[in-house]
Structures are given as C-alpha cells and as structure tokens.
Amino acid sequence: MHAFPMFIKTTGRRVVIVGGGEQAAQKARLVLKTDAEIVIAAPELDAELEALVSKRRAVHVTGPITGALFDEAAMAFIATGCVGVDAALQAVAQHRCPVNVVDQTALCDITTPAIVDRDPVVIAIGTEGTAPVLARQIKTKIEEDLPQTLGGLAALSGRLRDAVAQNVPRAGRRAFWRWVFGGTPGALWAQGAETEAARKIKEAIRSGGAPEQSDGSIAIIGACPRDLMTLRAVQRLQEADVIYFDGAGEDALELARRDAERVFVGSKPGVTTLPPYQAMLAEASKGARIVHLTGLDPALEARRLPGAELVPGVALGEAARATA
C-alpha cells in the first residue's frame, strides 16, 4: 500500500473547501455526511453552495486565503477548477492539515474513497486514485449485499455495549455478538422485524448470554499464498478466536481478524516440535473457534485432531494455474 486507510474524526472540527463551483460542491456533498463544520472559501458560490450557507450548514469566507484558514482543520479540499490556482493553494495549506487537490493526485495527502454508508457502519473503497471507476463498481456490489437497515442494528448494539459488559461474562461476549449479527437477531432485523430483534437481544443480555451458543470448532487449513486461499479458508480465518500457525502460514495471517490470538507452533533451529493438539481440543471444547494453519500434511493433522474440519487452503484450479 502507498496510503494507509483510516477514518478521521470530524466531531467539533472544521473541514475547509476552497472553491465555489461544481467541483467544490461535489466535495461538500461528501462532507455533509459528517458532523463537521464546513468552511467554504471562494469569492462567489454556485446556487447549491449558497443554499448550504443560507441553511447554516456551511460558513462562507470571501477574504484572502492564508495559511491561518487551514490551521487545525481536520482536512481541506482544494477545488477552484483551475489547475494552477489549486497547486498554489496546496502550497499554502500543506503542513497545516491533510489536503486533497481535485484531479491532482501527486499533490494529495488524502484521497476520497467510494463510500458505502450504513451509518455508523461505513465502508470506504479506495484505489489510491488509480481506478475510481473500479472503486465505484466494488461499491455497487457491496451496496447490493448489505441491508439498508444494517446501521440501525449497529447503532443499537453500541447503545447496549455497557449492558453487555455488565451482564455477559467476558468469555461469552464474542459469541454473543456473533449471535447478534449472524444469528436470529440479525436475520430478523434484515427482514424488517426490528422490534422483535431488539427484544431478543435484550432478553439475551438479561439472561447472561446468547441462547444459541455455538459449539467450538477446529478448522485445519493447508498453508498457501494468501492470493490463492479458498473462500472457505478465508471465512474460517476471519471467524477464528485462536490461530495456530507455523512458518508456512504467516502470509495468510493478513486475512485473519486482527484481534484473533495468534500462536506460533513452528520448529526452531535445532528443535523440532509438534503443534499442541491437546490444547487446541481443550479450547474448542470450551467454545473457542480454532484454526490450525499448517504447512504439514492437513490430512495427517486431521487424524490428530478428531472432529476437526479439513478446509482446502487453495482451490485446485488456482493451484494448477499457479504452477503452469
């Protein structure tokens, strides 16, 4: 990556937009999705931006543009419509706040992603300015997959986090949230039965945990390059509570959930060790989801871990193409 994806806090902060025409209006539409104070700097504004100012959703600055305008701003967009003027204004704003200059990627500290908005669930898709059309195509696919009401369920969960912390034991909280989003409540919410979903969630909190507690599991995945991983292997990595891996599996860890516990079980120079099979079985018996990501023979490992799921790491067609 040449840019690190992250979210910038806007509450109680300013976002500066320099320009009064259509390009500036496009940026203003993006910023309007946030709670930032919008400052528009330009001698004149088009009708859309004038309406924002008249509705007190933005502040209009008409004076000379100096560095002070950008001090302590969350970010700035330079969008006057003139390439030369934009470049000059970027020089004024640089080092004072992150800057985006319309259609001049080389001058940008930040770029604007394609956004899937299910507030407070927000998905940003970026291509580092190289392929915005592709980003919009990906956005369309995600829009089709995510229920429009998903943000409401996330917001409710946020309001109930303290109650969950007080009533659900720490060891059962991850399973509780999996049930909320992937079990009965999530299904009811997606169907429009929001009141019933909320009732079930609150009943489960009062009872101390999810009523549909899932059993623990062990998935054995044959290590391979992450770009060849099967969909099922990726799903198991993203569901895992604990991942046991050896040196052959490190590349695929990029696909795992960041807060999953990771346990290295590879051999060290001069020392040959076997994975702690009993520990894996014991943790699974307590409800944990275990992944054994291994460079050893997965079929042989499955014999040592009774009841484990043997998950193909690489699709046969992909393996053939990779070795062709």
Side-chain angles (χ1 to χ4, degrees):
M1 293 189 299
H2 298 287
F4 186 79
M6 64 190 304
F7 291 89
I8 300 174
K9 183 178 179 179
T10 56
T11 302
R13 305 182 72 188
R14 291 181 297 117
V15 172
V16 178
I17 300 173
V18 182
E22 174 57 24
Q23 287 185 337
Q26 291 173 5
K27 299 304 182 184
R29 290 172 208 145
L30 278 176
V31 182
L32 281 170
K33 294 177 178 290
T34 75
D35 56 358
E37 176 191 4
I38 301 175
V39 176
I40 305 173
E44 297 179 351
L45 304 180
D46 73 3
E48 182 179 353
L49 295 175
E50 280 281 10
L52 292 181
V53 173
S54 66
K55 294 176 182 177
R56 300 182 183 277
R57 188 61 185 87
V59 176
H60 185 197
V61 175
T62 58
I65 296 175
T66 66
L69 177 67
F70 305 99
D71 284 342
E72 299 183 2
M75 68 193 84
F77 295 96
I78 311 296
T80 69
C82 174
V83 172
V85 172
D86 283 355
L89 289 170
Q90 185 271 345
V92 174
Q94 67 178 342
H95 308 313
R96 295 176 181 269
C97 70
V99 179
N100 174 275
V101 182
V102 173
D103 294 335
Q104 297 195 62
T105 305
L107 298 180
C108 292
D109 301 310
I110 54 175
T111 55
T112 52
I115 296 174
V116 178
D117 185 3
R118 301 290 189 274
D119 186 32
V121 177
V122 179
I123 300 171
I125 305 109
T127 60
E128 297 184 352
T130 62
V133 172
L134 175 60
R136 287 195 290 272
Q137 290 175 347
I138 295 170
K139 164 186 163 69
T140 299
K141 291 181 180 180
I142 297 175
E143 289 276 11
E144 292 170 351
D145 288 340
L146 293 184
Q148 291 293 325
T149 58
L150 180 64
L153 179 57
L156 172 65
S157 300
R159 294 192 296 271
L160 294 175
R161 290 196 77 85
D162 287 346
V164 171
Q166 293 170 9
N167 293 277
V168 179
R170 181 181 296 274
R173 289 175 198 166
R174 186 172 292 162
F176 174 83
W177 290 118
R178 277 200 296 258
W179 170 75
V180 167
F181 295 113
T184 301
L188 287 170
W189 198 280
Q191 295 164 12
E194 299 174 5
T195 301
E196 178 65 10
R199 184 183 66 78
K200 286 187 174 294
I201 293 170
K202 292 176 182 178
E203 285 180 352
I205 292 173
R206 286 193 294 269
S207 65
E212 302 166 14
Q213 294 287 357
S214 59
D215 294 331
S217 62
I218 300 176
I220 302 169
I221 302 174
C224 67
R226 66 188 184 201
D227 59 333
L228 298 180
M229 277 278 174
T230 61
L231 176 60
R232 182 179 297 178
V234 173
Q235 289 173 333
R236 296 298 180 267
L237 282 167
Q238 294 178 347
E239 294 168 351
D241 299 309
V242 186
I243 301 170
Y244 291 86
F245 69 99
D246 52 35
E250 286 191 79
D251 180 62
L253 290 177
E254 289 290 332
L255 300 171
R257 200 179 72 233
R258 281 184 299 174
D259 60 342
E261 182 182 351
R262 303 175 186 203
V263 181
F264 178 71
V265 294
S267 298
K268 299 179 180 179
V271 180
T272 300
T273 59
L274 287 175
Y277 302 111
Q278 291 305 314
M280 294 186 203
L281 292 167
E283 290 183 79
S285 70
K286 296 176 183 177
R289 298 188 182 188
I290 308 298
V291 162
H292 180 26
L293 183 62
T294 180
L296 302 173
D297 180 356
L300 181 57
E301 294 299 279
R303 295 177 197 165
R304 294 166 170 162
L305 293 165
E309 176 189 15
L310 187 56
V311 180
V314 59
L316 294 178
E318 293 293 342
R321 284 192 287 274
T323 56

